[in-house]
Amino acid sequence: MIPRRLYAQLHGLLADYPAVALIGPRQVGKTTLALEIADTVDAVYLDLESPRDRARLSDPELYLADHQDRLVILDEVHRMPGLFQSLRGIIDRGRRRAKRSSQFLLLGSASMDLLRQSGETLAGRVAYLELGTFDVTEVEKRSHDKLWVRGGFPDSFLAADDGRSLTWRENFIRTYLERDVPQLGPRVPAETLRRLWVMLAHTQGGLLNAASLARGLGVNGKTVFRYLDLMVDLLLVRRLMPWRRNVGKRLVKSPKVYVRDSGVVHALLGLASKEDVVGHPVVGASWEGFVVETVLSLAPNRAEANFYRSSGGAEIDLILTLPGRKPWAIEVKRSLDPRPRRGFHNACEDVRPEAKFVVYPGDERYRLAKDIEAVTVLDIASEVAGSSKRP
């Protein structure tokens, strides 16, 4: 069992809010974390994928009234969208009898339905927390390369060997396409969505070219955007938007697109081991996506993430703007010679960041210049995690 970083934060939110929505892709460990919480309080757990548990909620007001003094954990809550209206009334009655926290823990495998439904009916009553895959702060330092190659889904990372890990990820992809996507989103042909996923893996971290994707899939551009929106909502793909500030230069307007889990990237490309990955052209983009996802998973609330690219070649892989702070410029290099190119220096003249980092796969942290540091992925993770604790 690997302790999850968000355990204490989830405990704190439950102490402050009547309902907490724990959101994340399937198989990321939401149920395991919720059951750990259940071991510390008086709780009842219902899996809404189980017909038996759904039957218990045929009259939710009546059933939940019998458990009004317990924490009720509702897993896969998006399977019963009509439940949210009942939860609102139960929460308000609980408040009137001075039970203002720890009433419901809602688990959902996608952001779209849960955010839309709970946002309309539970406004002011619910807090949201996204549980991602394992990150570098949760595993041993000697396992960081394994985390990059296999990704952070617990069953993939903890598999007995690379072959079993790859098999798990291949089955995960197949299950999402054939079972979960039809349940969670509009009807999309599984084979078309697989091809899109593979195309995104091949162009990991590249600028979105909807026209090229549309030609490859045999659909129109609007359909590509609809499919991409679905994968973003399912927390499988990340769109990183360009820096929009007025710097008097012609900037790229298209977002960059990443498959969020590096292990899924490698599975889509049939790469089982580290040797397979480092010998593939995707290696640099895969490492960049791994670092970007690590940084954003640890960034505090209200932090903004962008990239910078001008028509003249000035570029920063990731600009992280922390609340009330000037931006950080983060460059990612899969090389033991992490000296940034001229385009990074030119971009920094435009952005004027508070701090400049180059993340590389070495073991040592050192200065490349007076204002630029070469750092490991664990170093940048620690910097970002610590930023929320500093004024």
Side-chain angles (χ1 to χ4, degrees), residues 62-368:
L62 183 62
Y63 179 85
L64 295 174
D66 290 338
H67 301 281
Q68 59 185 357
D69 294 321
R70 307 174 74 185
L71 173 66
V72 178
I73 301 171
L74 300 173
D75 204 346
E76 303 298 340
V77 68
H78 52 271
R79 293 295 304 274
M80 293 186 67
L83 187 59
F84 288 97
Q85 191 64 46
S86 296
L87 296 183
R88 176 178 178 173
I90 294 167
I91 288 171
D92 289 346
R93 287 195 293 274
R95 282 174 160 176
R96 287 193 290 272
R97 56 186 182 82
K99 185 172 176 57
R100 307 188 65 84
S101 63
S102 298
Q103 293 188 52
F104 297 102
L105 176 55
L106 314 175
L107 312 183
S109 295
S111 64
M112 52 181 180
D113 287 329
L114 197 59
L115 288 175
R116 184 183 306 124
Q117 294 157 1
S118 64
E120 292 172 353
T121 59
L122 299 182
R125 302 167 180 83
V126 62
Y128 300 98
L129 189 63
E130 182 180 330
L131 181 67
T133 56
F134 288 151
D135 62 53
V136 295
T137 69
E138 294 175 312
V139 305
E140 296 178 346
K141 187 175 181 180
R142 61 186 176 86
S143 296
H144 286 177
D145 273 354
K146 183 173 81 169
L147 181 66
W148 168 49
V149 172
R150 296 185 179 186
F153 284 97
D155 287 338
S156 176
F157 177 76
L158 297 171
D161 54 53
D162 287 342
R164 287 182 174 89
S165 172
L166 179 62
T167 298
W168 183 91
R169 281 173 277 144
E170 290 171 340
N171 289 329
F172 169 82
I173 292 166
R174 184 178 304 112
T175 301
Y176 243 107
L177 292 171
E178 296 176 357
R179 186 177 78 95
D180 295 337
V181 169
Q183 288 181 357
L184 296 170
R187 185 66 183 171
V188 179
E191 184 55 35
T192 302
L193 202 59
R194 171 183 284 277
R195 286 165 54 202
L196 174 60
W197 217 348
V198 171
M199 292 167 74
L200 294 176
H202 275 287
T203 59
Q204 175 79 338
L207 295 177
L208 174 62
N209 186 334
S212 176
L213 293 173
R215 285 193 300 272
L217 295 172
V219 299
N220 60 41
K222 288 184 178 179
T223 301
V224 167
F225 283 114
R226 181 165 62 88
Y227 290 175
L228 189 61
D229 286 343
L230 173 63
M231 300 193 78
V232 170
D233 282 337
L234 292 174
L235 308 173
L236 300 172
V237 168
R238 183 182 295 279
R239 270 188 300 238
L240 188 64
M241 302 307 293
W243 177 262
R244 296 285 190 180
R245 309 297 168 84
N246 183 12
V247 294
K249 294 190 177 180
R250 190 175 176 185
L251 302 180
V252 165
K253 296 181 180 179
S254 297
K256 289 167 71 172
V257 180
Y258 298 90
V259 176
R260 291 182 59 164
D261 182 72
S262 58
V264 171
V265 173
H266 303 152
L268 289 165
L269 301 177
L271 308 175
S273 67
K274 182 179 178 182
E275 288 71 25
D276 294 336
V277 175
V278 298
H280 193 279
V282 82
V283 59
S286 169
W287 173 252
E288 179 183 322
F290 176 67
V291 172
V292 167
E293 202 59 35
T294 297
V295 169
L296 299 188
S297 69
L298 289 153
N301 292 335
R302 301 184 305 281
E304 297 180 13
N306 304 93
F307 72 97
Y308 182 99
R309 187 178 296 182
S310 73
S311 59
E315 182 175 0
I316 300 171
D317 291 329
L318 178 63
I319 299 174
L320 184 68
T321 306
L322 302 165
R325 305 274 292 275
K326 291 183 178 180
W328 292 5
I330 302 172
E331 187 74 358
V332 184
K333 297 182 76 68
R334 182 69 196 179
S335 169
L336 293 179
D337 179 8
R339 288 174 293 182
R341 296 178 180 176
R342 185 171 186 81
F344 176 77
H345 297 288
N346 292 341
C348 287
E349 290 177 4
D350 299 334
V351 175
R352 298 181 182 180
E354 173 185 300
K356 305 173 188 177
F357 300 101
V358 181
V359 184
Y360 79 119
D363 296 320
E364 183 182 358
R365 178 173 184 165
Y366 61 94
R367 291 198 175 275
L368 295 166

